[in-house]
Amino acid sequence: GAYNVALGHSALLNNTTASNNTAVGYQAAYSNTTGARITAIGNGALYANTTGNDNTAVGWSTLNANTTGINNIAMGRDALGANSSGGYNVALGMSSLTSNTTASYNTGVGYAAMYSNTTGANNTAIGSWNGSSLSAPLASNTTGNYNIALGNAALAKNTTASQNVALGYQASYAS
């Protein structure tokens, strides 16, 4: 590969032909072989990425399990941490979309937004966990699709329901 920057012990260690990558931190982009145009900043950021292109991970263990997912943006500790092949996701905030594995086109903004989501796609959650059980927006959603939750605890107990809109604190909390 060409035009790569690696700073930190084992950063971009397994890179073979991938180009235009930046890895800063201990084991950042450690497993990357051919994934191009990735930015990994933080301990273990994009650690398992092998072929996923155009990903940005900033923070400890962000996009840590990503192997083939593309066009993801994760900022904050553990954001999109379990994502393996999901693409086009945006997770901003500690533990936002942390359980997401294969789902795509999700946006989680705020601490623990969409924390439990695994395969639910095309969801938007904006708000933050406030310290009480299930208080982040769409916190319990696992497979529900096309949901919009704006506000702390909005749709927080939704697990599988789809095509819902909840605006405001605890809106549709018990759904």
Side-chain angles (χ1 to χ4, degrees):
Y3 311 110
N4 294 305
V5 175
L7 179 61
H9 181 65
S10 300
L12 273 174
L13 182 71
N14 293 297
N15 197 72
T16 55
T17 60
S19 296
N20 302 299
N21 296 309
T22 302
V24 178
Y26 176 68
Q27 293 184 334
Y30 176 87
S31 302
N32 194 69
T33 54
T34 62
R37 298 170 305 280
I38 64 170
T39 301
I41 300 173
N43 183 343
L46 279 165
Y47 175 88
N49 194 77
T50 54
T51 62
N53 295 321
D54 302 301
N55 291 300
T56 300
V58 179
W60 187 84
S61 202
T62 51
L63 275 164
N64 181 269
N66 192 76
T67 54
T68 60
I70 61 171
N71 293 347
N72 292 297
I73 298 171
M75 297 181 81
R77 179 180 166 183
D78 293 321
L80 276 167
N83 191 76
S84 58
S85 60
Y88 304 94
N89 294 298
V90 176
L92 304 176
M94 180 176 168
S95 298
S96 57
L97 280 162
T98 196
S99 300
N100 194 81
T101 54
T102 59
S104 296
Y105 302 102
N106 289 302
T107 301
V109 178
Y111 177 34
M114 294 183 61
Y115 180 88
S116 298
N117 192 75
T118 54
T119 60
N122 297 287
N123 295 297
T124 300
I126 300 175
S128 189
W129 180 66
N130 66 7
S132 62
S133 179
L134 302 174
S135 67
L138 280 168
S140 299
N141 189 73
T142 54
T143 61
N145 300 307
Y146 301 101
N147 292 300
I148 299 172
L150 304 177
N152 287 2
L155 282 170
K157 291 186 178 179
N158 182 73
T159 56
T160 60
S162 296
Q163 300 177 352
N164 295 291
V165 176
L167 304 175
Y169 176 68
Q170 289 190 343
S172 295
Y173 182 77
S175 56

